[in-house]
Amino acid sequence: MIFGRAGFGDAVADFEAAVVAQDPKRSGKAFTRLQETFGQAKEAELLEGGPRLAAVLRQVPPGPRAVVAVLVGACVERGADAVRCAPAVLAGLRTALEAAEAFAEAWTATGGGPFPAPGDGEPGEDVVARTGSEAAVGWWTLREWERAAVAMLNDPAVRTAAADRGELLELLAAVEQASDAEFTSLAHMLRVLDDEPLVALHRPSGTGYLLRFSGIGDIFQLHTLLADALIGGGHVEGRAPLPQEAAVCRETPGQVDTVGSFDLVTPDGDAIWNEGAPADIPVVDGVRLLVLDEPSLRRTWPAGRFFPGMRGDVLLERPLDPQEAERWFARVSPVKATED
């Protein structure tokens, strides 16, 4: 028997049966037990519990649905199959984003004012009166959906299969614009690129390189791994990251202080800041094109991963031959003066 008699597995089975039977009283008790027993759950309970909870997620009422989605995400973070769990969680995220957008519109239409912060518990009667229950719950639970969705999208197979990530990002952008709230983790995750080609032009040496990257959460991480591939690989001069600095940007847990090796610049000469995402790098002739200049200032930061559960890497495919590099440099403007 996979599940323990009185542990998380037993609570999953009871919750599953109660939800399918549409028994509110029983499902409420089982919902409480899910939260109480998760911390002591055994590996086998988590591996099977995540997909079973995901399978009934759409049938859970809107209020507790987000909490169940977070539990599914926690199961995935501890080994449950993300591919099996993700469709229901990402569908729930879409529903929550649509409801949150409706909330923002209704809030503005009924007098505006500071938006209530998404949080635990339930929205008050005054909020529901202004926006409607479904919209209010969507807004109120959006932080939980963010956590659950990020847990799913840590998996590259989930990112590949999630063809609607662009639509989810558009919905999120509409919510953020209307409310002035930021959902940075979700916004970065929805823009993560995999198996993405990149041409990097090293202006000081006049050389160019074709690389490919996957699972990079922000430019900080990309910056360190680019330096590891190009400087550490002996292709250009500069300050190479120490092995541990590169390792924490791939899959080793933790953070290690590092020093920047380049100024990163767009083909038009604008700075690309480390706080951004690789999707910010412009596409030229179907390939992302990045210029590497000598560092104008000494910049330090903790090297690591924006998403600790997501493995990232930058691989050098080959140096460009001089004629190729010259053709790419012809698409590049002089660097603009910038300040950190």
Side-chain angles (χ1 to χ4, degrees), residues 32-328:
T32 300
R33 289 181 57 215
L34 283 175
Q35 299 173 82
E36 291 174 345
T37 58
F38 177 82
Q40 292 76 43
K42 298 177 181 178
E43 180 181 4
E45 295 177 308
L46 296 166
L47 296 182
E48 187 156 338
R52 288 179 69 173
L53 290 173
V56 298
L57 190 61
R58 291 179 176 88
Q59 298 168 260
V60 178
R65 187 184 302 154
V67 177
V68 177
V70 170
L71 287 173
V72 173
C75 289
V76 165
E77 289 173 341
R78 292 174 62 179
D81 188 343
V83 173
R84 290 175 62 191
C85 296
V89 172
L90 296 182
L93 171 65
R94 173 183 285 275
T95 299
L97 285 169
E98 291 171 343
E101 184 178 18
F103 175 89
E105 293 172 354
W107 189 263
T108 301
T110 56
F115 275 74
D120 297 331
E122 299 179 357
E125 293 182 3
D126 56 332
V127 173
V128 172
R130 288 182 61 175
T131 65
S133 176
E134 183 176 338
V137 169
W139 171 257
W140 226 253
T141 60
L142 201 48
R143 295 290 181 197
E144 292 164 321
W145 285 108
E146 178 179 39
R147 289 173 55 194
V150 166
M152 301 300 116
L153 292 165
N154 273 321
D155 189 296
V158 171
R159 295 196 299 272
T160 299
D164 63 344
R165 278 198 292 158
E167 297 173 9
L168 293 173
L169 188 60
E170 289 179 4
L171 278 170
L172 177 61
V175 171
E176 289 185 324
Q177 182 175 3
S179 65
D180 286 332
E182 292 185 352
F183 297 84
T184 306
S185 291
L186 183 56
H188 272 253
M189 181 59 87
L190 289 171
R191 302 179 73 204
V192 168
L193 302 168
D194 290 290
D195 198 29
E196 184 76 4
L198 170 70
V199 168
L201 302 178
H202 186 247
R203 199 193 309 262
S205 64
T207 56
Y209 304 88
L210 177 62
L211 305 105
R212 195 169 293 270
F213 65 88
S214 296
I216 305 295
D218 61 12
I219 299 293
F220 284 112
Q221 183 183 7
L222 179 70
H223 190 145
T224 300
L225 292 178
L226 274 173
D228 185 57
L230 298 181
I231 302 175
H235 299 280
V236 301
E237 294 184 356
R239 191 263 178 192
L242 297 175
Q244 186 65 13
E245 296 169 23
V248 295
C249 291
R250 291 190 173 96
E251 59 184 346
T252 301
Q255 294 182 325
V256 181
D257 288 342
T258 191
V259 179
S261 303
F262 309 112
D263 280 355
L264 306 182
V265 183
T266 71
D268 290 335
D270 296 321
I272 294 180
W273 303 113
N274 284 332
E275 291 80 3
D280 297 329
I281 300 171
V283 174
V284 177
D285 292 346
V287 181
R288 296 191 186 275
L289 181 59
L290 180 65
V291 180
L292 309 178
D293 283 321
E294 293 283 1
S296 55
L297 296 171
R298 187 178 188 274
R299 297 180 177 90
T300 63
W301 63 86
R305 288 170 289 161
F306 188 89
F307 298 106
M310 183 172 69
R311 186 186 189 282
D313 211 350
V314 176
L315 301 175
L316 174 63
E317 294 201 342
R318 61 179 178 86
L320 303 182
D321 64 46
Q323 292 76 23
E324 282 182 289
E326 185 177 354
R327 288 196 295 270
W328 282 110

